[in-house]
Amino acid sequence: MEKIGRNDHCWCGSGRKYKVCHMAMDEKIHRYELEGHMVPDRSLLKSKEQIQGIRDSSVINVAVLDAVEKMIGPGITTGQIDDLVHDMTVKMGGFPASLNYEGFPKSVCTSINQVVCHGIPSHEVVLKEGDIVNVDVSTLYKGYFSDSSRMFCIGEVSEEKKKLVQVTKECMELGLTMVKPWNFLGDMAQVVNDHAKENGYSVVVDIGGHGVGLEFHEEPFVSYVTKAGTEMLMVPGMVFTIEPMVNMGTNEIYIDDDDGWTVYTKDGKPSAQWEITVAVTEDGHEVLTW
Ligand code: MF3
Ligand code: CO
């Protein structure tokens, strides 16, 4: 890392002297690093301006999900959801980050029942009474990315599925309580995984969350199965997603051979996911999307 003098301008671009800006924090991070912990690179610490950019992007992301919430129900196709997400995002001046992302063909992911994530919307797929569906919206606005997803119960849903949806939401919320400076990502993961397990569920290992903001998917990879005290140190300025995928049965998954995207549970049992984008602040966290 580049050596900066105490009286030089801080690396963060604030224009303040290093000694009154990030110096103390850098030293603290360095002490954790010497103890063998994973620590964020400077490039992962967003400035106030950058966080404002992500906040603005998040306003669109949340508004779009709110609109989905109003229109979704039995008889609606996932293609209609995709149209709404695309048109509303563009109307608000943004662009759907999923569209053409590594070849993904649509503007939103819609994942029904045993689909874990990355379901491709279609005008042929009609939501029916009893389905549970995850709608995952991600937005690019003026160079900044935001990302969130919610579960929706379509009409009357079985108690079993309702509970899966509810417990998965609790997992995310419990994880959030662990987001504050000088905790570890593993502290968050542990409470997520514990709560899922206590309810007889399993958490997907191979797919997780991510840093977000300047890119759609940034470092670090965010696991929800790792142990307290492990994984990356949380530092003010980090922005990442909490998005555990919780399965009613096995956490084993496979990807659709034909479309190359849709992820299913191996045992065909239902899966649920909630996602928020969260920033680590000086004294805790700020939820940017929900
Ligand atoms: N929105 C998903 C996430 O939470 C990523 C979707 S990638 C896509 O990270 F290409 F499938 F859209
Ligand atoms: Co995400």
Side-chain angles (χ1 to χ4, degrees):
M1 215 161 268
E2 181 195 343
K3 194 84 187 135
I4 309 177
R6 302 169 53 80
N7 291 310
D8 292 343
H9 284 155
C10 188
W11 55 263
C12 76
S14 64
R16 298 163 76 208
K17 286 186 178 171
Y18 183 49
K19 66 182 177 192
V20 295
C21 198
H22 274 91
M23 191 173 88
M25 196 174 95
D26 281 354
E27 286 171 356
K28 187 162 180 176
I29 293 171
H30 191 56
R31 287 198 292 276
Y32 278 97
E33 197 175 14
L34 291 177
E35 286 170 13
H37 288 291
M38 249 181 281
V39 301
D41 191 82
R42 264 178 209 162
S43 65
L44 299 184
L45 306 184
K46 273 79 176 167
S47 67
K48 297 240 168 349
E49 293 71 28
Q50 289 170 331
I51 290 190
Q52 186 56 47
I54 303 167
R55 214 181 267 126
D56 294 341
S57 173
S58 300
V59 169
I60 301 177
N61 210 79
V62 170
V64 169
L65 266 173
D66 286 347
V68 169
E69 194 152 348
K70 289 211 178 82
M71 62 84 83
I72 202 166
I76 296 285
T77 69
T78 54
Q80 285 172 275
I81 297 171
D82 181 60
D83 289 341
L84 174 107
V85 170
H86 181 274
D87 295 350
M88 187 167 168
T89 303
V90 169
K91 229 174 246 159
M92 291 182 78
F95 190 80
S98 303
L99 186 56
N100 301 322
Y101 175 79
E102 292 185 3
F104 190 79
K106 298 286 178 180
S107 298
V108 64
C109 298
T110 48
S111 305
I112 306 169
N113 299 328
Q114 76 278 19
V115 175
V116 175
C117 64
H118 302 167
I120 302 174
S122 155
H123 287 285
E124 253 91 83
V125 176
V126 184
L127 294 174
K128 57 179 197 309
E129 187 96 9
D131 283 341
I132 58 170
V133 56
N134 174 276
V135 178
D136 191 337
V137 175
S138 34
T139 306
L140 170 61
Y141 177 66
K142 294 189 177 169
Y144 294 102
F145 290 87
S146 54
D147 195 3
S148 60
S149 78
R150 297 180 197 164
M151 291 300 296
F152 299 102
C153 292
I154 306 302
E156 273 307 308
V157 167
S158 70
E159 286 306 317
E160 229 192 350
K161 279 176 164 179
K162 253 192 245 172
K163 185 182 165 201
L164 175 69
V165 169
Q166 177 58 27
V167 168
T168 305
K169 190 173 190 199
E170 290 164 6
C171 285
M172 179 194 75
E173 289 165 347
L174 282 168
L176 179 64
T177 66
M178 300 306 283
V179 178
K180 56 180 173 213
W182 322 114
N183 270 5
F184 298 97
L185 286 174
D187 300 335
M188 180 271 294
Q190 177 92 56
V191 298
V192 168
N193 198 18
D194 286 353
H195 190 60
K197 275 194 185 157
E198 277 158 22
N199 284 280
Y201 302 145
S202 68
V203 176
V204 171
V205 175
D206 303 329
I207 313 176
H210 50 95
V212 61
L214 309 185
E215 305 282 346
F216 188 3
H217 293 120
E218 300 175 2
E219 292 292 312
F221 173 76
V222 181
S223 168
Y224 307 101
V225 295
T226 46
K227 297 279 168 241
T230 70
E231 301 294 301
M232 193 177 278
L233 181 70
M234 296 186 201
V235 172
M238 279 171 77
V239 178
F240 58 88
T241 66
I242 304 182
E243 53 174 316
M245 291 158 220
V246 177
N247 294 355
M248 203 180 276
T250 173
N251 61 4
E252 286 179 276
I253 56 175
Y254 69 93
I255 300 175
D256 193 301
D257 262 344
D258 296 323
D259 68 25
W261 279 103
T262 313
V263 179
Y264 299 90
T265 58
K266 211 166 213 173
D267 59 8
K269 291 191 179 166
S271 178
Q273 178 183 30
W274 290 82
E275 173 177 26
I276 55 176
T277 299
V278 58
V280 182
T281 60
E282 296 292 329
D283 53 4
H285 58 251
E286 177 183 345
V287 177
L288 297 172
T289 67
W290 57 91

